[in-house]
Amino acid sequence: MAAGPPPPLEPGALPTFPEEGFAEKFMRKTRENPMVPLGCLCTVGVLTYGIICFKKGNTRRSQLMMRARVLAQGFTFAALLGGMVATAIKSR
């Protein structure tokens, strides 16, 4: 007895997901892990202040801000990894 092709699926049988725009997705991801956008804002702020200090000739403060930028980037990366781990654990 040869099996034929499976019957076609009805349109109502498939799950439907609402379309999610950039703003909705950004807000959902921010609610899921608020530390990542906070780290990004901190990184941009420290970088901007460091560039301003560099342009004004305050090299000591500029170097300090570039080191602080590296710390802020590390915090952002750690928050990203922590969020991924939390999501993986939650899905189990």
Side-chain angles (χ1 to χ4, degrees):
M1 197 151 109
L9 293 174
E10 296 178 24
L14 297 175
T16 57
F17 298 101
E19 284 295 319
E20 186 177 44
F22 175 78
E24 292 88 10
K25 185 175 182 178
F26 180 78
M27 290 308 295
R28 179 175 57 85
K29 294 287 187 178
T30 300
R31 280 191 298 274
E32 288 173 5
N33 192 359
M35 292 304 195
V36 173
L38 184 66
C40 290
L41 286 174
C42 185
T43 302
V44 168
V46 169
L47 176 64
T48 302
Y49 185 62
I51 290 172
I52 290 170
C53 289
F54 180 75
K55 288 210 178 248
K56 288 182 177 179
N58 191 348
T59 56
R60 186 176 176 92
R61 170 92 25 119
S62 175
Q63 283 297 311
L64 181 66
M65 289 299 108
M66 291 305 114
R67 290 184 183 123
R69 176 192 54 88
V70 171
L71 289 174
Q73 282 179 313
F75 171 79
T76 305
F77 186 70
L80 183 66
L81 285 179
M84 288 172 49
V85 168
T87 302
I89 290 172
K90 191 189 311 182
S91 67
R92 287 186 181 188

